[in-house]
Amino acid sequence: MPGTFEPLPGGGASVALDDVEISIIRSLAVQLLELIGPGPAEDEAPADPLAQLFAEGPSEPPSDPVLKRLFPDAYRDPETPGNPHEAAEQRAHSAEFRRYTENDLRAGKRENALAVIHSLNALTPGEDGPAVLELTTAESRRWLGALNDLRLAIGARLEITEEDDTDDFYRLPDEDPRKPMVMAYLWLGGLQETLVSTLMA
């Protein structure tokens, strides 16, 4: 049965996680970090904070389908490109927007994944049951961002769209090779939902 986040007095959230659950989330967060890639090395980063803010990033969308889901184009819908002139304008706007935002987006996703890993590393599972993870409100928001990114990544690998009925995934036979990934996707969704409810309480 998936764990659920519960509110802490004074703000924040807590959830009980066993060894297997801790290992799964940590492993997925590490894989997400590897996919997003490292940040700029200290000797490559601009010394001027203002220059760093406007440092240019990539202008083309990523080729990997997971990264495409994590860093989508801002100004065009690939399903409805419109007329050729309009599509060219949207591509140009998307490239410009991506050039000045993707580095920051990657940094934010990297920090969220690292926050998850650090908080799990600090846990000491109890001998008689699961460990209880306690998060501040700020840490909870980082977890929420990371859980969302993990579900987007798994959803992209499974080719899940917003229109897909996830109830069908509960009925997958055990021998289906997608089953472990689907169960992780659904479990993370439950965690995400209860964390949202906790933060809105």
Side-chain angles (χ1 to χ4, degrees):
M1 182 176 180
T4 56
F5 278 97
E6 296 179 359
L8 286 173
S14 68
V15 64
L17 299 169
D18 62 29
D19 288 348
V20 173
E21 292 167 333
I22 291 169
S23 176
I24 290 171
I25 298 174
R26 184 192 289 117
S27 174
L28 290 172
V30 168
Q31 291 176 55
L32 182 64
L33 272 178
E34 291 172 349
L35 186 64
I36 293 171
E42 287 186 15
D43 55 350
E44 295 175 4
D48 179 2
L50 190 60
Q52 189 170 353
L53 180 64
F54 291 103
E56 292 189 12
S59 59
E60 292 298 319
S63 58
D64 185 283
V66 173
L67 290 175
K68 273 187 179 178
R69 186 77 64 93
L70 291 172
F71 305 104
D73 276 336
Y75 288 96
R76 69 187 177 109
D77 179 356
E79 300 300 321
T80 54
N83 64 55
H85 177 69
E86 183 181 324
E89 277 192 346
Q90 289 176 336
R91 280 194 296 271
H93 290 315
S94 288
E96 190 71 6
F97 185 82
R98 184 181 296 278
R99 184 177 293 120
Y100 292 108
T101 59
E102 187 167 314
N103 283 346
D104 282 344
L105 288 173
R106 282 181 181 260
K109 293 179 185 301
R110 198 179 294 115
E111 288 167 10
N112 290 342
L114 279 170
V116 167
I117 293 166
H118 291 325
S119 57
L120 292 176
N121 287 344
L123 272 183
T124 359
E127 294 179 3
D128 302 325
V132 177
L133 174 70
E134 295 189 350
L135 304 171
T136 64
T137 302
E139 290 169 338
S140 297
R141 291 197 184 100
R142 290 208 173 276
W143 262 76
L144 191 57
L147 288 173
N148 185 61
D149 288 341
L150 290 174
R151 291 192 79 240
L152 285 173
I154 295 172
R157 288 287 184 244
L158 291 169
E159 299 182 347
I160 296 173
T161 66
E162 291 180 5
E163 295 77 27
D164 283 336
D165 185 359
T166 53
D167 287 345
D168 293 341
F169 292 118
Y170 285 101
R171 295 188 283 273
L172 281 179
D174 289 343
E175 60 271 15
D176 192 305
R178 299 171 297 167
K179 187 70 176 273
M181 201 180 292
V182 164
M183 296 312 294
Y185 177 82
L186 296 171
W187 172 57
L188 292 173
L191 283 176
Q192 184 181 11
E193 187 177 341
T194 60
L195 184 52
V196 169
S197 300
T198 297
L199 290 175
M200 292 177 67

